[in-house]
Amino acid sequence: MSKQIDWSNLGFGYIQTEQRYVSNYKDGAWDEGTLTSDATVTISECAGVLQYAQTCFEGLKAYTTEDGHVVCFRPDLNAQRMSDSCKRLEMPVFPEDRFVEAVVKTVEANIDYVPPYGSGATLYIRPYMFGSNPVIGVKPADEYQFRIFVTPVGPYFKGGAKPITIRVSDFDRAAPHGTGHIKAGLNYAMSLHAIVDAHEQGYSENMYLDPATRTKVEETGGANFIFITKDGKFVTPKSDSILPSITRRSLMVVAEKYLGLEVEHREVAFAELENFAECGLCGTAAVISPVGKIVDHGKEICFPSGMEEMGPVTKKLYDTLTGIQMGRIEAPEGWIKTIR
Ligand code: PLP
Ligand code: COI
């Protein structure tokens, strides 16, 4: 039985569910892993994560499809990206096949929290790992915990599909040759001051420019950019300090193979923005959130798609992507993992 939750009015927040997955790494090996109802974590006051932020995470979603199945979207790519994050942070990799199995187990154990089809909500899945034993010299921990919890969520931005206004940030979220391309907790710590300040100034998000030259568009604190040119091309920024969004990589396929658009994955100069017809943010949490306006120190860049609704091409991308995720449109081979 589905839980009594007002699915249609959920925001993007944490609701504690019944079960979560835990596996511990000690003496060079992961244990077999288990589900637990204990939603708290107890670790040393000197744990690597608490002192030197040795932690990374992932984010994906489970969906109820039109025909009543529960599925998740490309979990193998989250497993791969977490493996990349762990290697860069000198953490042990949780084996990719076990990652996917653990995601499936955790969703199955909380199946009543998967929002119904058509409710507008989804089940957000948060795998994460941290250094758990005492570390006082600056070095990697020897012991780690890998966990997965789930929480039902609604839209990441208030207003759902309504275009948002963002601003160009004076702060960077990543460094050249740093950790922008992995999902390290430290990147998000870096962005907290910038997002609080952006919200105080009335903006929904920050546009970060490339940290080396500040002339090229990178991404926001939690999503990649997509742009549509006035002649209907799909353009998305390429950079070594952007997180390789699974949604963005999927949209590149959707744009080309489903919608027949020309796709350009390349450096995008900030100066080019005024030539674009549509702009959106894409990610697991953001899905595709339309951007109507970008403010650069008082100078406004207003996209022709306006502040009322998603641009027409963005809408087609949104409908096709969510159609694939919710089983209304046939998915490319291997994109959908059926859980039930
Ligand atoms: N960029 C950042 C900084 C993110 O935190 C996220 C969220 O995961 C994304 C992009 C989007 O990635 P994905 O589509 O894999 O969720
Ligand atoms: C996601 O989209 O899964 C993210 O991790 C973005 C943000 C909530 C951190």
Side-chain angles (χ1 to χ4, degrees):
M1 262 303 283
S2 197
K3 291 280 163 191
Q4 291 299 311
I5 293 175
D6 184 6
W7 306 110
S8 310
N9 289 312
L10 284 180
F12 195 86
Y14 173 73
I15 295 174
Q16 189 180 313
T17 71
E18 259 130 64
Q19 301 287 327
R20 64 275 308 125
Y21 181 86
V22 189
S23 179
N24 287 295
Y25 181 89
K26 196 175 176 176
D27 300 329
W30 288 104
D31 68 12
E32 72 279 15
T34 186
L35 289 167
T36 172
S37 58
D38 188 355
T40 59
V41 175
T42 304
I43 46 174
S44 161
E45 61 187 356
C46 197
V49 59
L50 298 179
Q51 302 310 322
Y52 304 124
Q54 198 185 15
T55 179
C56 61
F57 70 101
E58 272 303 323
L60 67 162
K61 282 175 173 174
Y63 309 85
T64 304
T65 61
E66 191 171 31
D67 63 359
H69 287 283
V70 172
V71 303
C72 62
F73 186 68
R74 311 190 78 180
D76 51 320
L77 296 190
N78 294 96
Q80 239 172 51
R81 191 169 62 189
M82 189 154 194
S83 156
D84 293 340
S85 297
C86 288
K87 288 173 189 159
R88 177 65 175 78
L89 294 170
E90 293 296 334
M91 299 168 77
V93 170
F94 192 74
E96 292 179 29
D97 52 339
R98 288 195 58 195
F99 176 104
V100 174
E101 278 167 31
V103 164
V104 169
K105 258 193 192 167
T106 315
V107 174
E108 277 174 340
N110 295 284
I111 204 85
D112 296 344
Y113 290 90
V114 185
Y117 175 76
S119 65
T122 51
L123 189 74
Y124 187 68
I125 306 166
R126 171 53 62 87
Y128 59 113
M129 192 193 295
F130 51 87
S132 52
N133 70 302
V135 173
I136 193 71
V138 177
K139 63 168 189 167
D142 305 307
E143 295 176 12
Y144 293 86
Q145 197 165 95
F146 170 76
R147 298 178 71 102
I148 306 177
F149 67 77
V150 297
T151 181
V153 295
Y156 191 68
F157 294 106
K158 278 192 225 81
K162 213 66 179 152
I164 56 172
T165 299
I166 65 173
R167 64 137 190 222
V168 177
S169 176
D170 285 331
F171 305 101
D172 295 324
R173 71 172 281 283
H177 315 291
T179 54
H181 62 302
I182 59 160
K183 218 160 160 55
L186 65 93
N187 297 338
Y188 300 82
M190 284 271 281
S191 74
L192 294 177
H193 178 62
I195 194 66
V196 168
D197 189 59
H199 287 163
E200 276 171 10
Q201 313 280 332
Y203 302 107
S204 298
E205 251 292 4
N206 287 294
M207 166 181 270
Y208 293 104
L209 301 179
D210 74 291
T213 71
R214 305 193 127 260
T215 58
K216 288 170 278 188
V217 175
E218 296 243 299
E219 61 174 329
T220 66
N224 281 184
F225 277 106
I226 58 170
F227 299 102
I228 305 299
T229 63
K230 287 182 179 143
D231 57 356
K233 281 186 201 139
F234 176 105
V235 177
T236 187
K238 187 177 199 169
S239 152
D240 291 342
S241 42
I242 290 179
L243 188 80
S245 158
I246 293 161
T247 313
R248 187 262 298 159
R249 285 182 268 163
S250 304
L251 283 172
M252 288 169 66
V253 175
V254 166
E256 190 184 334
K257 300 279 194 281
Y258 286 68
L259 303 181
L261 306 180
E262 207 172 304
V263 171
E264 294 181 357
H265 183 210
R266 59 164 172 84
E267 290 188 341
V268 174
F270 181 72
E272 272 185 79
L273 287 184
E274 42 202 77
N275 303 330
F276 293 130
E278 300 175 34
C279 172
L281 304 182
C282 71
T284 298
V287 193
I288 303 181
S289 303
V291 176
K293 194 193 287 186
I294 300 173
V295 180
D296 175 25
H297 302 92
K299 180 176 173 254
E300 294 190 347
I301 299 161
C302 299
F303 294 101
S305 50
M307 292 305 295
E308 284 311 310
E309 50 193 63
M310 260 190 212
V313 181
T314 306
K315 177 84 168 78
K316 277 190 205 159
L317 288 162
Y318 179 91
D319 288 344
T320 311
L321 176 71
T322 54
I324 289 170
Q325 291 167 333
M326 316 252 177
R328 293 186 297 267
I329 296 175
E330 191 171 346
E333 178 82 33
W335 279 23
I336 298 296
K337 173 89 185 160
T338 303
I339 294 175
R340 191 187 68 173

